[in-house]
Structure formats: C-alpha cells, structure tokens
Amino acid sequence: MDMAPSARTVSGDFDLTMDELRVVARYVVQHAEDVLSVFERAVPDDQRPRAAIDAAWAFINGANRTKLQRVTSLEAHRAAWSAPSEAAGLAARSAGDAASAAYLHPIAKASQVGHILRASASAARIGEIEAGGDPATGDALLERSRQRATPVLIDVLSRYPLATSGSNRVAQLMSTLDRSLRQAADRPPGHTALSRADPHRRECKS
C-alpha cells in the first residue's frame, strides 16, 4: 500500500493525506521527545532513538517520507528490544513509532491505533514507573495527551476501530486515551475527559 514519496494522498479503506500524516507524526514525536532522555540516561552511547526522532521531524517539516523514516524506525525498535529497563525500552519504541508514523496505513484495523497513540500511552507508563508505580501520574499524563490532540488528529483516529484494552499497562492506558479522544469531539469546550490536570504541561517543539 506504499505510495511514491511525492504522493499527496494514501488510499485504502479510506484516504489519508500527507498533511494528516504530518499531524499524526507531530503528535507522536512530541511524546517521544518527552521521554527520550529516559533512554539516553540508560544507554548514553546509543543514538538510534534520537535519529528516529530527527527523521520524524524531517517529515513533519515538509520532507517527503522516504527510506529514512523506515530505517530509523526499525533501528529505534531494535534499541528498544535491547534496552536495560522497561522505561528505557518504551522510550526507544516511542521514538521508533514517531518515525514510522509517516507510514500509518489507511486500513480499518484496531491495530493501527497503536501507531497513533502508543507513544502517548508509553509516556504515561514511563511517568508511572518513575513515580513508583503511581497510576495518578499516568492519568495526569493522559490528560496532557488529550489536550495536545488537535481536531485533525482526532478525525484521523476516528477512522479506525477502537483500540482493544490488552493485559499490559500500556495497552490499558492507550485504550483509555483512545476512548476519551473520540468522546472529546462531542463535548463542549472546557469539558475535560480525564479528571486530573497535568502539572507538567509545557510548550512543544514546532
């Protein structure tokens, strides 16, 4: 289902434009950047996740999607497999997800939701780990992720089936965020999906 690098629209069960893919990639890379330092503290000499983030930004900033995003994504995921801790592995995987977001497939399968929301769920899980397993930290970080989601991001997400809630914590967090984002489109302004505000919200790279 890959298209030529210059293609403006990817077609499948529905269409995705390059602009929409850039919105998705920006959302993913924001979360990946938030937790990159977790991996780099654990494995300071491994630059593979950072290279994936750089490739994601290249696409977001207007470059065609190319082999660069595919290769750096694969390498970041390899870094995740060999990471020395759960948190470091999730951080590296998030970087890989950021690079691969350029190739999100327009297939109506719930598994594709992971390419949009897994990095945000992973960032929430890392926050929980660093807070000694406190689920309130995860809730706060999911609220930040909800606030970051643009109408375009939510529109793209809504073209896919709901993510299934698996047995691991990242899957559960992703399912919670998925449902809240879809519901947010029908809520009046100012109505939050999650109960806790995020004390750590900051400006994101543009």
Side-chain angles (χ1 to χ4, degrees), residues 102-187:
Y103 284 94
L104 175 68
H105 294 303
I107 312 170
K109 292 185 177 180
S111 58
Q112 292 297 306
V113 173
H115 298 298
I116 305 172
L117 300 182
R118 187 170 67 176
S120 47
S122 295
R125 174 57 183 158
I126 290 169
E128 288 183 346
I129 293 169
E130 295 196 321
D134 180 14
T137 300
D139 289 344
L141 291 169
L142 286 189
E143 175 61 18
R144 178 188 63 179
S145 297
R146 195 193 73 81
Q147 294 292 340
R148 280 178 167 174
T150 66
V152 173
L153 187 285
I154 295 171
D155 180 62
V156 171
L157 175 67
S158 299
R159 299 173 202 175
Y160 295 92
L162 275 166
T164 55
S165 182
S167 58
N168 70 74
R169 182 59 175 157
V170 171
Q172 292 165 1
L173 289 164
M174 185 171 71
S175 178
T176 297
L177 179 60
D178 186 18
R179 291 179 184 278
S180 70
L181 287 176
R182 294 171 196 260
Q183 293 166 1
D186 299 323
R187 289 195 176 98

Side-chain angles (χ1 to χ4, degrees), residues 76-87:
H77 283 103
R78 285 174 175 161
W81 298 334
S82 60
S85 68
E86 178 187 357

Side-chain angles (χ1 to χ4, degrees), residues 33-102:
E33 284 191 322
D34 286 342
V35 296
L36 177 62
S37 62
V38 174
F39 177 83
E40 293 186 331
R41 287 196 304 268
V43 194
D45 296 328
D46 193 337
Q47 295 298 304
R48 289 177 291 178
R50 182 171 291 277
I53 285 176
D54 289 345
W57 277 113
F59 172 69
I60 293 162
N61 289 330
N64 290 329
R65 60 181 193 172
T66 66
K67 185 178 179 181
L68 175 67
Q69 284 77 36
R70 288 189 179 279
V71 170
T72 56
S73 174
L74 179 59
E75 289 301 315
H77 283 103
R78 285 174 175 161
W81 298 334
S82 60
S85 68
E86 178 187 357
L90 291 174
R93 188 175 71 177
S94 296
D97 287 348
S100 64

